[in-house]
């Protein structure tokens, strides 16, 4: 059975129907913990295990970029204790995992308003990014203190500053130029978006970049999201026809040409 599944996925890979970029909202850690009578942070800790599994599966299937929403601009509103414990967890994970990521040729990139984090955490992020910057395997993007609206706003501000300095005319601003100032400008747009935990929302994740992304929602809680669940999402993606505004007939003509 496993062998059959692997063959099928290999075929999809050969047909170029494996997403280049997968973006995930890892939801459901709190509920996973509560169902076990455990504190919420235990769910986040279990969530780290799912991160490991998905990173490894992405590497195996040839996904180029994996973006994980680890902490949103709105997550500061959570109880102070949970925020503090999450920050500690990020620090520990960065310290513990970065060498392993490096050995596996993973390039780590953190996007978001990182100046809000402690100096210690910012320093760890810098160390991890510098160590892995030349790796050419999977690019792992951690969105931390990130919000889609924040991203578009900071890009607009950079353009406005260029206009104010006389380096740019307002009429030169187009989608391409704005896109170049977004936090993940150098990466392909996500092909597949996954949200675990049952909610069907984007929650201020990559608003600009998700314009044409295939959306996949699952009730599975993030700590229970394993390789098999990830492969279900890949298979769902492979079965979809991406039209980018064209008609189905046009897409079929191009594919058949
Ligand atoms: C959402 O679940 C999850 C988070 C806000 C944190 C995600 C963090 C991790 C998985 C930890 C490790 C990640 C990295 C990349 C180091 P929730 O708390 O909203 O769950 P609930 O909806 O069940 O309450």
């Amino acid at each position: 059975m496993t062998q059959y599944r692997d063959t099928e996925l290999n075929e999809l890979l050969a047909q170029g129907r494996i997403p280049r970029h997968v973006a995930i909202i890892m939801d459901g850690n709190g509920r996973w913990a509560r169902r076990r009578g455990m504190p919420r942070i235990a769910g986040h800790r279990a969530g780290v295990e799912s991160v490991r599994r998905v990173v490894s599966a992405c590497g195996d299937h040839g996904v180029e970029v994996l973006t994980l929403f680890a902490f949103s601009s709105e997550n500061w509103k959570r109880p102070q204790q949970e925020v503090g414990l999450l920050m500690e967890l990020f620090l520990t994970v960065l310290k513990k995992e970065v060498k392993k990521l490096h050995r596996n040729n993973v390039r780590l990139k953190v996007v978001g308003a990182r100046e809000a984090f402690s100096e210690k955490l910012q320093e760890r992020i810098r160390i991890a990014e510098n160590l892995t910057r030349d790796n050419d395997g999977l690019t792992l993007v951690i969105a931390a203190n990130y919000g889609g609206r924040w991203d578009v706003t900071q890009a607009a501000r950079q353009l406005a500053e260029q206009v104010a300095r006389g380096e740019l005319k307002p009429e030169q601003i187009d989608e391409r130029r704005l896109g170049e100032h977004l936090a993940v400008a150098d990466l392909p747009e996500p092909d597949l978006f996954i949200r675990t935990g049952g909610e069907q929302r984007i929650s201020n994740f990559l608003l600009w970049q998700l314009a044409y992304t295939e959306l996949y929602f699952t009730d599975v809680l993030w700590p229970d999201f394993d390789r098999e669940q990830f492969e279900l999402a890949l298979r769902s993606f492979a079965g979809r026809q991406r039209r980018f505004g064209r008609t189905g007939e046009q897409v079929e003509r191009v594919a058949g040409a």
Side-chain angles (χ1 to χ4, degrees), residues 35 144 221 249:
R35 282 177 199 174
L221 305 177
E249 290 75 19

Side-chain angles (χ1 to χ4, degrees), residues 5-183:
R5 275 211 325 265
D6 284 352
T7 316
E8 190 183 83
L9 274 168
N10 284 342
E11 275 168 24
L12 298 175
L13 183 60
Q15 294 162 10
R17 287 164 78 184
I18 291 282
R20 286 182 72 193
H21 182 172
V22 179
I24 306 184
I25 296 188
M26 311 176 286
D27 201 6
N29 295 346
R31 277 165 285 163
W32 183 92
R34 202 168 55 232
R35 282 177 199 174
R36 287 164 177 76
M38 292 155 94
R40 294 178 57 83
I41 190 67
H44 297 313
R45 284 197 195 105
V48 176
E49 202 44 57
S50 292
V51 171
R52 284 194 198 100
R53 285 194 296 256
V54 170
V55 166
S56 154
C58 281
D60 292 348
H61 290 308
V63 171
E64 291 170 37
V65 184
L66 172 66
T67 299
L68 301 175
F69 206 5
F71 194 83
S72 77
S73 315
E74 291 74 32
N75 282 153
W76 296 108
K77 294 181 201 147
R78 292 188 172 215
Q80 214 182 335
Q81 192 207 19
E82 183 176 345
V83 171
L85 289 171
L86 263 174
M87 294 298 147
E88 263 177 45
L89 183 64
F90 294 149
L91 201 61
T92 315
V93 170
L94 272 175
K95 263 199 244 174
K96 262 180 54 187
E97 305 285 329
V98 79
K99 284 204 185 104
K100 198 162 123 208
L101 290 174
H102 187 46
R103 272 201 307 278
N104 284 294
N105 198 23
V106 174
R107 176 169 71 123
L108 186 81
K109 213 173 142 64
V110 176
V111 296
R114 62 173 76 183
E115 61 279 3
F117 295 133
S118 70
E119 207 22 75
K120 215 156 96 185
L121 185 51
Q122 290 186 53
E123 176 62 9
R124 271 285 147 200
I125 292 173
R126 274 194 294 274
I127 292 171
E129 285 183 330
N130 284 336
L131 179 72
T132 62
R133 68 186 323 146
D134 296 324
N135 292 341
D136 58 6
L138 175 74
T139 296
L140 174 60
V141 183
I142 306 293
N145 197 20
Y146 178 88
R149 290 180 178 177
W150 164 83
D151 201 2
V152 177
T153 307
Q154 64 81 27
R157 188 175 303 140
Q158 287 185 49
L159 292 174
E161 281 164 2
Q162 288 182 15
V163 171
R165 288 197 298 267
E167 295 163 8
L168 187 71
K169 294 197 182 85
E171 58 270 26
Q172 289 177 301
I173 297 175
D174 55 14
E175 288 183 15
R176 186 190 56 81
R177 213 177 271 269
L178 193 138
E180 281 170 3
H181 289 85
L182 295 170

